[in-house]
Amino acid sequence: MNWAEKDLEYIWHPCSQMKDYEELKPIVIDHGEGVYLYDTEGNRYVDVISSWWCNLLGHCNTHISEALKKQTEQLEHVIFANFTHKQAIRLCERLSKILPEGLCKFNFTDNGSSAIEAAMKVSFQYHEQTGNPQKTRFMALTEAYHGETIGALSVGDCDLYTKLYKPILMDVIKIEAPDCYRCPYGKCRENCNCECAEKAVQAFTQYGNETCALLVEPLLQGSAGMKIYPPLYLKRLRQLCDQYNVHLIADEIATGYGRTGKMFAFEHAGVSPDIMCLSKGLTGGYMPMALFVTTQKIYDAFYDDYSTGKAFMHSHTYSGNPLACSCANAVLDLMEDGKILQRAQENAIYFNNIIKEKFLSHPNVGEIRSIGLINAIELVKNKDTKEPLDSSLRTGYQIYKKALKKGVILRPLSDIIYFNPPLIFERKDMDFVTDIALECLNEILPN
Ligand SMILES: *Cc1c(COP(=O)(O)O)cnc(C)c1O
Protein backbone atom coordinates (compact mmCIF):
# COMPACT_ATOMS: atom_id res chain seq x y z
CA MET A 1 0.00 0.00 0.00
CA ASN A 2 1.34 3.44 -0.92
CA TRP A 3 0.07 5.45 2.02
CA ALA A 4 1.32 8.80 0.72
CA GLU A 5 -0.62 8.42 -2.54
CA LYS A 6 -3.72 7.35 -0.62
CA ASP A 7 -3.30 10.36 1.65
CA LEU A 8 -3.30 12.76 -1.28
CA GLU A 9 -6.40 11.13 -2.67
CA TYR A 10 -8.39 12.14 0.42
CA ILE A 11 -6.66 14.60 2.69
CA TRP A 12 -6.49 18.39 2.44
CA HIS A 13 -3.59 19.25 4.76
CA PRO A 14 -3.56 22.32 7.00
CA CYS A 15 -1.56 25.38 6.04
CA SER A 16 -0.32 23.82 2.80
CA GLN A 17 -0.35 24.51 -0.91
CA MET A 18 -1.37 21.01 -1.89
CA LYS A 19 0.50 21.31 -5.21
CA ASP A 20 3.75 21.40 -3.22
CA TYR A 21 3.03 17.78 -2.30
CA GLU A 22 3.68 16.74 -5.92
CA GLU A 23 7.35 17.29 -5.19
CA LEU A 24 7.39 16.58 -1.47
CA LYS A 25 5.02 13.76 -0.61
CA PRO A 26 3.43 13.63 2.85
CA ILE A 27 5.68 11.77 5.26
CA VAL A 28 3.78 8.91 6.83
CA ILE A 29 4.71 8.72 10.48
CA ASP A 30 4.46 5.31 12.05
CA HIS A 31 5.40 5.99 15.64
CA GLY A 32 7.04 8.42 18.00
CA GLU A 33 9.38 8.07 20.93
CA GLY A 34 10.80 10.94 22.97
CA VAL A 35 11.98 13.68 20.62
CA TYR A 36 11.98 11.32 17.62
CA LEU A 37 9.40 10.45 15.00
CA TYR A 38 9.78 7.40 12.74
CA ASP A 39 8.21 7.05 9.32
CA THR A 40 6.88 3.84 7.75
CA GLU A 41 10.16 3.38 5.89
CA GLY A 42 12.17 3.44 9.10
CA ASN A 43 13.59 6.97 8.74
CA ARG A 44 14.02 8.93 11.97
CA TYR A 45 13.19 12.62 12.36
CA VAL A 46 14.14 14.86 15.26
CA ASP A 47 10.98 16.79 16.17
CA VAL A 48 12.68 20.09 16.84
CA ILE A 49 9.40 22.00 16.37
CA SER A 50 7.52 19.94 18.98
CA SER A 51 4.89 18.92 16.39
CA TRP A 52 3.56 22.46 16.00
CA TRP A 53 4.85 23.60 19.40
CA CYS A 54 2.57 21.39 21.49
CA ASN A 55 4.66 18.33 22.31
CA LEU A 56 6.13 19.25 25.66
CA LEU A 57 7.73 16.17 27.20
CA GLY A 58 8.39 13.91 24.24
CA HIS A 59 6.24 11.57 22.16
CA CYS A 60 4.58 8.62 23.88
CA ASN A 61 5.67 9.67 27.33
CA THR A 62 5.02 6.67 29.56
CA HIS A 63 3.46 8.57 32.45
CA ILE A 64 1.05 10.58 30.30
CA SER A 65 0.14 7.55 28.19
CA GLU A 66 -0.62 5.50 31.30
CA ALA A 67 -2.79 8.28 32.74
CA LEU A 68 -4.71 8.48 29.49
CA LYS A 69 -5.20 4.72 29.26
CA LYS A 70 -6.48 4.61 32.81
CA GLN A 71 -8.91 7.45 32.15
CA THR A 72 -10.30 5.72 29.01
CA GLU A 73 -11.39 2.86 31.25
CA GLN A 74 -13.15 5.17 33.67
CA LEU A 75 -14.81 8.02 31.77
CA GLU A 76 -14.17 9.28 28.24
CA HIS A 77 -16.56 12.24 28.15
CA VAL A 78 -19.45 13.87 29.91
CA ILE A 79 -21.51 16.98 29.29
CA PHE A 80 -19.79 19.78 31.23
CA ALA A 81 -22.89 21.87 31.98
CA ASN A 82 -24.23 20.82 35.38
CA PHE A 83 -21.90 17.81 35.37
CA THR A 84 -18.27 17.71 36.31
CA HIS A 85 -15.50 15.24 37.09
CA LYS A 86 -12.47 14.94 39.33
CA GLN A 87 -9.85 15.32 36.59
CA ALA A 88 -11.07 18.81 35.67
CA ILE A 89 -11.44 19.90 39.28
CA ARG A 90 -7.97 18.68 40.21
CA LEU A 91 -6.45 20.33 37.16
CA CYS A 92 -7.93 23.75 37.91
CA GLU A 93 -7.01 23.59 41.57
CA ARG A 94 -3.41 22.74 40.69
CA LEU A 95 -3.14 25.36 37.97
CA SER A 96 -4.58 28.09 40.17
CA LYS A 97 -1.64 27.55 42.53
CA ILE A 98 1.00 28.15 39.86
CA LEU A 99 -0.64 30.74 37.61
CA PRO A 100 0.11 34.46 37.97
CA GLU A 101 -1.71 35.95 40.93
CA GLY A 102 -5.45 36.52 40.67
CA LEU A 103 -6.22 34.00 37.93
CA CYS A 104 -8.68 31.55 39.45
CA LYS A 105 -11.77 30.90 37.30
CA PHE A 106 -11.42 28.46 34.42
CA ASN A 107 -13.43 28.03 31.23
CA PHE A 108 -12.60 25.16 28.87
CA THR A 109 -12.57 24.98 25.08
CA ASP A 110 -11.00 22.46 22.73
CA ASN A 111 -8.46 24.46 20.73
CA GLY A 112 -6.44 27.63 21.09
CA SER A 113 -8.43 29.76 18.66
CA SER A 114 -11.68 29.09 20.47
CA ALA A 115 -10.10 29.95 23.83
CA ILE A 116 -9.16 33.31 22.29
CA GLU A 117 -12.69 33.80 20.98
CA ALA A 118 -14.22 32.90 24.33
CA ALA A 119 -11.88 35.32 26.11
CA MET A 120 -12.87 38.10 23.71
CA LYS A 121 -16.55 37.43 24.26
CA VAL A 122 -16.14 37.39 28.03
CA SER A 123 -14.32 40.70 27.98
CA PHE A 124 -16.94 42.36 25.80
CA GLN A 125 -19.77 41.02 27.93
CA TYR A 126 -18.07 42.10 31.16
CA HIS A 127 -17.98 45.72 30.02
CA GLU A 128 -21.52 45.52 28.69
CA GLN A 129 -22.66 44.28 32.12
CA THR A 130 -20.66 46.77 34.16
CA GLY A 131 -21.96 49.97 32.61
CA ASN A 132 -19.57 50.40 29.67
CA PRO A 133 -21.50 49.29 26.60
CA GLN A 134 -19.41 51.66 24.46
CA LYS A 135 -16.44 49.32 24.92
CA THR A 136 -16.91 47.18 21.84
CA ARG A 137 -13.50 47.10 20.20
CA PHE A 138 -10.30 45.11 20.56
CA MET A 139 -6.67 46.07 20.35
CA ALA A 140 -3.84 43.81 19.25
CA LEU A 141 -0.25 44.09 18.11
CA THR A 142 0.90 44.17 14.52
CA GLU A 143 2.12 40.79 13.27
CA ALA A 144 0.22 39.10 16.10
CA TYR A 145 -1.02 35.54 15.78
CA HIS A 146 -3.97 34.37 17.86
CA GLY A 147 -5.42 31.57 15.76
CA GLU A 148 -7.41 31.22 12.58
CA THR A 149 -11.13 31.24 13.26
CA ILE A 150 -12.76 34.50 12.19
CA GLY A 151 -12.56 36.31 15.55
CA ALA A 152 -9.06 35.08 16.32
CA LEU A 153 -7.95 35.96 12.82
CA SER A 154 -9.31 39.48 13.30
CA VAL A 155 -6.97 40.16 16.19
CA GLY A 156 -4.12 38.56 14.26
CA ASP A 157 -1.99 40.45 11.80
CA CYS A 158 0.18 38.00 9.86
CA ASP A 159 -0.56 38.80 6.22
CA LEU A 160 -0.03 35.20 5.19
CA TYR A 161 -3.13 34.16 7.14
CA THR A 162 -5.25 37.31 7.40
CA LYS A 163 -4.84 39.47 4.32
CA LEU A 164 -7.23 37.67 2.03
CA TYR A 165 -9.99 37.54 4.63
CA LYS A 166 -9.95 41.23 5.62
CA PRO A 167 -13.40 41.91 4.13
CA ILE A 168 -14.99 39.46 6.56
CA LEU A 169 -12.95 40.33 9.68
CA MET A 170 -13.70 42.67 12.60
CA ASP A 171 -12.18 46.12 12.64
CA VAL A 172 -9.45 45.80 15.26
CA ILE A 173 -7.13 48.55 16.52
CA LYS A 174 -3.56 47.54 15.72
CA ILE A 175 -0.64 48.77 17.81
CA GLU A 176 2.78 48.69 16.18
CA ALA A 177 4.57 45.84 17.95
CA PRO A 178 8.12 46.03 19.33
CA ASP A 179 10.68 45.14 16.67
CA CYS A 180 13.90 44.65 18.56
CA TYR A 181 16.01 43.47 15.62
CA ARG A 182 15.10 46.44 13.45
CA CYS A 183 14.35 48.84 16.31
CA PRO A 184 13.15 52.15 14.88
CA TYR A 185 14.56 53.92 17.97
CA GLY A 186 18.06 52.57 17.41
CA LYS A 187 18.04 50.63 20.70
CA CYS A 188 18.45 46.95 21.49
CA ARG A 189 16.69 44.59 23.90
CA GLU A 190 19.34 44.98 26.56
CA ASN A 191 19.54 48.77 26.73
CA CYS A 192 16.08 50.07 25.87
CA ASN A 193 13.36 51.64 27.93
CA CYS A 194 10.61 50.30 25.67
CA GLU A 195 10.43 53.56 23.76
CA CYS A 196 8.12 51.73 21.34
CA ALA A 197 5.43 51.62 24.05
CA GLU A 198 4.59 55.17 22.95
CA LYS A 199 2.67 53.55 20.07
CA ALA A 200 0.49 51.83 22.64
CA VAL A 201 0.06 55.12 24.54
CA GLN A 202 -1.16 56.77 21.34
CA ALA A 203 -3.64 53.97 20.65
CA PHE A 204 -5.00 54.09 24.21
CA THR A 205 -5.32 57.87 24.15
CA GLN A 206 -7.32 57.70 20.97
CA TYR A 207 -9.30 54.49 21.44
CA GLY A 208 -8.97 53.44 25.12
CA ASN A 209 -12.54 54.39 26.00
CA GLU A 210 -14.12 52.29 23.27
CA THR A 211 -11.86 49.27 23.83
CA CYS A 212 -12.73 46.24 25.94
CA ALA A 213 -9.49 44.29 25.67
CA LEU A 214 -5.96 44.20 24.37
CA LEU A 215 -4.62 40.82 23.29
CA VAL A 216 -0.94 40.09 23.47
CA GLU A 217 1.47 37.20 22.97
CA PRO A 218 3.77 37.79 25.95
CA LEU A 219 7.49 38.24 25.13
CA LEU A 220 7.37 36.12 22.01
CA GLN A 221 5.47 36.75 18.80
CA GLY A 222 5.85 33.22 17.50
CA SER A 223 4.27 33.17 14.06
CA ALA A 224 5.64 36.64 13.33
CA GLY A 225 9.03 34.93 13.17
CA MET A 226 9.86 34.21 16.81
CA LYS A 227 10.16 37.91 17.56
CA ILE A 228 11.24 38.49 21.14
CA TYR A 229 10.72 41.66 23.19
CA PRO A 230 11.56 42.62 26.79
CA PRO A 231 9.23 42.02 29.79
CA LEU A 232 9.14 45.76 30.53
CA TYR A 233 6.85 46.17 27.54
CA LEU A 234 4.23 43.99 29.27
CA LYS A 235 4.43 46.15 32.37
CA ARG A 236 3.74 49.19 30.24
CA LEU A 237 0.72 47.51 28.69
CA ARG A 238 -0.51 46.53 32.15
CA GLN A 239 -0.34 50.19 33.28
CA LEU A 240 -2.22 51.40 30.21
CA CYS A 241 -4.89 48.74 30.58
CA ASP A 242 -5.43 49.71 34.23
CA GLN A 243 -5.61 53.38 33.35
CA TYR A 244 -8.24 52.90 30.64
CA ASN A 245 -10.23 50.00 32.15
CA VAL A 246 -9.19 47.68 29.34
CA HIS A 247 -8.64 43.94 29.90
CA LEU A 248 -5.22 42.56 29.21
CA ILE A 249 -5.64 39.17 27.55
CA ALA A 250 -2.48 37.06 27.60
CA ASP A 251 -2.28 34.58 24.77
CA GLU A 252 0.06 32.07 26.43
CA ILE A 253 -0.97 29.31 24.05
CA ALA A 254 2.57 29.10 22.67
CA THR A 255 4.55 30.59 25.57
CA GLY A 256 2.95 28.77 28.49
CA TYR A 257 4.34 25.63 30.11
CA GLY A 258 7.98 26.55 30.33
CA ARG A 259 8.69 27.51 26.75
CA THR A 260 10.25 30.83 27.80
CA GLY A 261 12.15 29.41 30.77
CA LYS A 262 9.42 30.13 33.30
CA MET A 263 6.15 28.25 33.57
CA PHE A 264 4.30 31.25 32.07
CA ALA A 265 5.88 34.10 30.11
CA PHE A 266 3.99 36.71 32.14
CA GLU A 267 6.05 35.70 35.20
CA HIS A 268 9.05 37.45 33.63
CA ALA A 269 7.17 40.74 33.88
CA GLY A 270 5.91 40.29 37.44
CA VAL A 271 2.38 41.39 36.53
CA SER A 272 -0.83 39.49 35.91
CA PRO A 273 -3.14 39.62 32.92
CA ASP A 274 -6.92 39.76 33.43
CA ILE A 275 -7.46 36.74 31.24
CA MET A 276 -4.98 34.09 30.14
CA CYS A 277 -5.42 31.56 27.33
CA LEU A 278 -3.60 28.24 27.42
CA SER A 279 -3.52 25.35 25.04
CA LYS A 280 -0.47 23.95 23.29
CA GLY A 281 1.56 22.55 26.20
CA LEU A 282 -1.48 21.99 28.40
CA THR A 283 -1.93 18.29 27.63
CA GLY A 284 1.70 17.75 26.66
CA GLY A 285 0.59 17.59 23.02
CA TYR A 286 -1.65 14.59 23.65
CA MET A 287 -5.20 15.83 23.38
CA PRO A 288 -6.80 18.94 21.88
CA MET A 289 -7.77 21.12 24.82
CA ALA A 290 -7.60 24.79 25.71
CA LEU A 291 -8.88 27.07 28.39
CA PHE A 292 -9.06 30.63 29.48
CA VAL A 293 -8.61 31.54 33.11
CA THR A 294 -9.70 34.82 34.62
CA THR A 295 -10.17 36.78 37.82
CA GLN A 296 -12.83 36.69 40.50
CA LYS A 297 -13.74 40.26 39.52
CA ILE A 298 -14.62 39.34 35.93
CA TYR A 299 -16.41 36.18 37.07
CA ASP A 300 -18.53 38.18 39.54
CA ALA A 301 -19.86 40.45 36.78
CA PHE A 302 -21.65 37.42 35.34
CA TYR A 303 -22.96 36.04 38.64
CA ASP A 304 -26.61 36.90 39.18
CA ASP A 305 -30.16 35.56 38.96
CA TYR A 306 -30.80 33.68 35.72
CA SER A 307 -33.44 36.20 34.65
CA THR A 308 -30.87 39.02 34.47
CA GLY A 309 -29.38 37.29 31.39
CA LYS A 310 -25.86 37.80 32.63
CA ALA A 311 -24.60 34.24 32.21
CA PHE A 312 -21.78 33.47 29.81
CA MET A 313 -23.68 31.40 27.28
CA HIS A 314 -20.70 29.89 25.53
CA SER A 315 -19.98 26.20 25.09
CA HIS A 316 -18.07 23.64 23.10
CA THR A 317 -19.15 20.02 22.94
CA TYR A 318 -15.81 18.81 24.23
CA SER A 319 -15.39 21.46 26.96
CA GLY A 320 -13.51 19.95 29.89
CA ASN A 321 -13.05 16.57 28.23
CA PRO A 322 -11.91 14.06 30.89
CA LEU A 323 -9.34 12.33 28.67
CA ALA A 324 -7.68 15.66 27.93
CA CYS A 325 -7.84 16.69 31.59
CA SER A 326 -6.19 13.42 32.62
CA CYS A 327 -3.27 14.20 30.29
CA ALA A 328 -3.07 17.74 31.64
CA ASN A 329 -2.88 16.39 35.19
CA ALA A 330 -0.18 13.93 34.15
CA VAL A 331 1.83 16.81 32.66
CA LEU A 332 1.61 18.65 35.98
CA ASP A 333 2.67 15.48 37.85
CA LEU A 334 5.87 15.61 35.82
CA MET A 335 6.45 19.34 35.95
CA GLU A 336 5.30 20.35 39.41
CA ASP A 337 8.63 19.88 41.19
CA GLY A 338 10.31 22.22 38.68
CA LYS A 339 13.14 19.81 37.81
CA ILE A 340 12.30 19.47 34.12
CA LEU A 341 12.13 23.23 33.75
CA GLN A 342 15.39 23.70 35.60
CA ARG A 343 17.19 21.18 33.42
CA ALA A 344 15.68 22.76 30.29
CA GLN A 345 17.03 26.12 31.42
CA GLU A 346 20.51 24.71 31.95
CA ASN A 347 20.41 23.09 28.54
CA ALA A 348 19.05 26.29 27.01
CA ILE A 349 22.32 28.07 27.75
CA TYR A 350 24.27 25.32 26.02
CA PHE A 351 21.87 25.33 23.05
CA ASN A 352 22.06 29.07 22.54
CA ASN A 353 25.86 29.03 22.81
CA ILE A 354 26.40 26.37 20.16
CA ILE A 355 23.92 28.08 17.85
CA LYS A 356 25.82 31.34 18.17
CA GLU A 357 29.14 29.56 17.66
CA LYS A 358 27.99 27.75 14.56
CA PHE A 359 25.80 30.32 12.85
CA LEU A 360 26.76 33.85 13.79
CA SER A 361 29.62 34.14 11.30
CA HIS A 362 27.49 33.08 8.32
CA PRO A 363 27.07 36.09 6.01
CA ASN A 364 23.29 35.62 5.79
CA VAL A 365 22.60 35.30 9.49
CA GLY A 366 21.14 38.61 10.61
CA GLU A 367 20.10 37.88 14.17
CA ILE A 368 20.07 34.95 16.55
CA ARG A 369 17.49 35.40 19.28
CA SER A 370 16.49 33.08 22.06
CA ILE A 371 14.20 32.64 25.02
CA GLY A 372 14.02 29.39 26.98
CA LEU A 373 14.81 26.55 24.58
CA ILE A 374 13.44 28.55 21.68
CA ASN A 375 16.12 29.82 19.32
CA ALA A 376 15.54 31.63 16.04
CA ILE A 377 17.97 32.47 13.26
CA GLU A 378 16.82 35.27 11.00
CA LEU A 379 18.33 34.99 7.53
CA VAL A 380 18.87 38.22 5.61
CA LYS A 381 20.25 39.26 2.26
CA ASN A 382 22.54 41.83 3.82
CA LYS A 383 23.79 41.68 7.37
CA ASP A 384 24.58 45.40 7.59
CA THR A 385 21.36 46.80 6.18
CA LYS A 386 19.27 43.87 7.59
CA GLU A 387 17.57 43.69 4.21
CA PRO A 388 15.46 40.50 4.07
CA LEU A 389 15.97 37.78 1.49
CA ASP A 390 13.72 37.83 -1.56
CA SER A 391 10.73 35.91 -0.19
CA SER A 392 9.86 34.47 -3.62
CA LEU A 393 13.03 32.38 -3.44
CA ARG A 394 11.49 30.47 -0.53
CA THR A 395 14.91 30.02 1.05
CA GLY A 396 13.49 28.75 4.32
CA TYR A 397 11.43 26.16 2.49
CA GLN A 398 14.50 24.94 0.54
CA ILE A 399 16.35 24.50 3.84
CA TYR A 400 13.35 22.70 5.32
CA LYS A 401 13.32 20.15 2.49
CA LYS A 402 17.05 19.49 2.77
CA ALA A 403 16.86 19.06 6.54
CA LEU A 404 13.98 16.59 6.25
CA LYS A 405 16.15 14.31 4.11
CA LYS A 406 18.76 14.43 6.86
CA GLY A 407 16.27 13.62 9.62
CA VAL A 408 15.47 17.00 11.17
CA ILE A 409 12.09 18.77 11.12
CA LEU A 410 12.87 22.49 10.96
CA ARG A 411 9.83 24.09 9.25
CA PRO A 412 11.11 27.71 9.15
CA LEU A 413 8.74 30.68 9.36
CA SER A 414 9.51 32.16 5.93
CA ASP A 415 13.26 32.83 6.19
CA ILE A 416 13.56 32.42 9.92
CA ILE A 417 14.92 29.05 10.97
CA TYR A 418 13.92 28.20 14.50
CA PHE A 419 14.20 25.48 17.10
CA ASN A 420 11.37 24.96 19.57
CA PRO A 421 12.02 21.46 20.90
CA PRO A 422 10.31 19.56 23.73
CA LEU A 423 11.62 20.54 27.18
CA ILE A 424 13.37 17.18 27.50
CA PHE A 425 15.70 17.94 24.56
CA GLU A 426 19.23 16.78 25.37
CA ARG A 427 22.64 18.13 24.38
CA LYS A 428 23.44 15.33 21.92
CA ASP A 429 20.26 16.21 20.02
CA MET A 430 21.19 19.88 20.13
CA ASP A 431 24.58 19.07 18.58
CA PHE A 432 22.92 16.98 15.89
CA VAL A 433 20.15 19.37 14.83
CA THR A 434 22.44 22.40 14.74
CA ASP A 435 25.00 20.51 12.62
CA ILE A 436 22.29 19.49 10.17
CA ALA A 437 20.73 22.95 10.07
CA LEU A 438 24.11 24.53 9.36
CA GLU A 439 24.90 21.97 6.65
CA CYS A 440 21.56 22.71 4.95
CA LEU A 441 22.01 26.46 5.28
CA ASN A 442 25.43 26.21 3.66
CA GLU A 443 24.07 24.11 0.82
CA ILE A 444 21.35 26.66 0.03
CA LEU A 445 23.30 29.83 0.85
CA PRO A 446 26.99 28.99 0.41
CA ASN A 447 29.20 30.69 2.99
C1 LIG B 1 -1.32 27.99 18.04
C2 LIG B 1 -1.66 29.32 18.57
C3 LIG B 1 -3.00 29.75 18.63
C4 LIG B 1 -4.15 28.95 18.08
O1 LIG B 1 -4.31 27.69 18.65
P1 LIG B 1 -5.05 26.54 17.78
O2 LIG B 1 -5.19 25.41 18.73
O3 LIG B 1 -4.13 26.23 16.63
O4 LIG B 1 -6.34 27.09 17.32
C5 LIG B 1 -3.26 30.98 19.18
N1 LIG B 1 -2.27 31.76 19.66
C6 LIG B 1 -0.99 31.38 19.63
C7 LIG B 1 0.06 32.27 20.20
C8 LIG B 1 -0.63 30.15 19.06
O5 LIG B 1 0.65 29.80 18.98
Side-chain angles (χ1 to χ4, degrees):
M1 162 81 74
N2 189 330
W3 287 102
E5 293 296 334
K6 217 22 143 200
D7 170 284
L8 292 175
E9 200 178 330
Y10 295 104
I11 296 175
W12 193 346
H13 287 274
C15 208
S16 297
Q17 171 48 264
M18 292 309 297
K19 193 165 191 296
D20 281 348
Y21 287 76
E22 285 177 11
E23 195 203 351
L24 180 65
K25 297 275 185 284
I27 297 161
V28 187
I29 294 298
D30 179 72
H31 63 283
E33 189 188 339
V35 300
Y36 309 118
L37 292 166
Y38 297 86
D39 70 15
T40 45
E41 282 153 30
N43 300 306
R44 187 190 86 167
Y45 303 87
V46 185
D47 189 2
V48 78
I49 55 161
S50 298
S51 284
W52 258 343
W53 313 353
C54 64
N55 186 282
L56 196 67
L57 304 169
H59 292 281
C60 298
N61 174 288
T62 317
H63 180 71
I64 308 173
S65 298
E66 285 305 321
L68 179 58
K69 273 185 223 160
K70 205 169 146 221
Q71 187 60 37
T72 57
E73 282 154 22
Q74 193 167 348
L75 176 69
E76 81 304 332
H77 189 62
V78 63
I79 178 174
F80 209 49
N82 270 103
F83 292 82
T84 189
H85 53 86
K86 289 180 194 165
Q87 291 288 2
I89 301 163
R90 273 188 69 223
L91 175 63
C92 295
E93 184 182 31
R94 293 167 91 181
L95 277 175
S96 70
K97 290 184 179 141
I98 56 171
L99 281 162
E101 203 183 333
L103 298 174
C104 58
K105 294 288 182 186
F106 296 79
N107 182 285
F108 287 92
T109 61
D110 48 21
N111 64 76
S113 307
S114 42
I116 293 289
E117 305 242 347
M120 289 167 68
K121 284 173 69 180
V122 143
S123 176
F124 164 78
Q125 191 174 338
Y126 169 91
H127 291 295
E128 172 71 29
Q129 288 172 187
T130 53
N132 286 299
Q134 82 288 357
K135 285 185 172 283
T136 58
R137 300 188 68 188
F138 295 93
M139 287 181 186
L141 301 188
T142 54
E143 290 197 74
Y145 181 87
H146 296 293
E148 300 190 31
T149 51
I150 306 275
L153 207 53
S154 300
V155 283
D157 190 48
C158 292
D159 274 355
L160 183 62
Y161 313 116
T162 49
K163 203 170 167 196
L164 181 73
Y165 303 102
K166 288 240 162 95
I168 54 168
L169 300 181
M170 296 155 55
D171 182 20
V172 167
I173 302 150
K174 297 281 160 71
I175 298 171
E176 197 181 310
D179 185 354
C180 302
Y181 175 42
R182 297 183 178 82
C183 177
Y185 303 85
K187 302 273 179 158
C188 63
R189 277 179 209 95
E190 291 71 34
N191 75 0
C192 82
N193 196 24
C194 286
E195 285 75 3
C196 56
E198 72 177 13
K199 304 284 182 191
V201 174
Q202 285 161 14
F204 274 82
T205 311
Q206 196 172 354
Y207 302 110
N209 291 331
E210 59 194 83
T211 299
C212 49
L214 162 65
L215 292 96
V216 63
E217 295 158 90
L219 304 192
L220 174 77
Q221 287 193 298
S223 300
M226 296 294 176
K227 289 188 162 184
I228 297 167
Y229 63 83
L232 179 62
Y233 188 76
L234 292 177
K235 279 195 183 180
R236 292 279 156 80
L237 295 183
R238 179 71 271 175
Q239 284 160 359
L240 285 166
C241 284
D242 287 342
Q243 193 181 338
Y244 287 89
N245 186 24
V246 168
H247 290 143
L248 185 52
I249 301 180
D251 178 350
E252 292 243 18
I253 292 166
T255 54
Y257 279 79
R259 294 292 187 187
T260 68
K262 293 194 187 283
M263 194 64 182
F264 305 102
F266 250 81
E267 289 173 36
H268 293 274
V271 292
S272 290
D274 300 289
I275 306 175
M276 184 185 282
C277 299
L278 293 175
S279 181
K280 288 190 166 100
L282 183 59
T283 66
Y286 264 69
M287 296 285 293
M289 183 165 79
L291 56 82
F292 78 73
V293 52
T294 189
T295 58
Q296 185 74 42
K297 184 178 173 193
I298 290 180
Y299 176 84
D300 285 345
F302 294 72
Y303 197 91
D304 210 335
D305 292 330
Y306 183 80
S307 60
T308 60
K310 286 186 181 172
F312 184 47
M313 298 303 285
H314 182 101
S315 63
H316 294 279
T317 310
Y318 286 98
S319 294
N321 175 261
L323 298 176
C325 288
S326 72
C327 295
N329 274 311
V331 167
L332 289 182
D333 293 342
L334 296 171
M335 289 194 71
E336 239 160 14
D337 69 4
K339 285 197 183 126
I340 287 176
L341 203 50
Q342 194 190 335
R343 177 144 183 86
Q345 269 313 83
E346 287 159 13
N347 284 336
I349 298 166
Y350 176 82
F351 200 20
N352 185 239
N353 280 339
I354 60 169
I355 289 169
K356 283 195 287 205
E357 264 168 41
K358 291 180 191 181
F359 288 87
L360 210 50
S361 61
H362 190 285
N364 294 105
V365 169
E367 188 186 44
I368 294 172
R369 41 184 181 263
S370 74
I371 188 164
L373 279 174
I374 298 173
N375 281 268
I377 301 169
E378 178 154 352
L379 302 177
V380 292
K381 189 167 174 185
N382 183 319
K383 231 174 164 121
D384 298 322
T385 62
K386 304 180 181 178
E387 186 192 338
L389 291 163
D390 176 357
S391 64
S392 68
L393 299 174
R394 300 182 80 190
T395 309
Y397 185 60
Q398 308 305 329
I399 293 171
Y400 167 63
K401 287 193 292 188
K402 288 237 180 258
L404 272 181
K405 294 223 168 71
K406 298 175 198 269
V408 176
I409 308 177
L410 285 180
R411 217 167 190 280
L413 294 153
S414 62
D415 294 329
I416 294 149
I417 304 172
Y418 72 87
F419 307 95
N420 185 8
L423 300 182
I424 56 157
F425 211 51
E426 289 295 338
R427 296 183 185 196
K428 65 174 178 5
D429 298 311
M430 295 176 181
D431 294 337
F432 178 70
V433 299
T434 49
D435 281 345
I436 297 294
L438 184 61
E439 236 175 77
C440 298
L441 171 63
N442 284 330
E443 282 171 33
I444 301 292
L445 294 173
N447 195 328

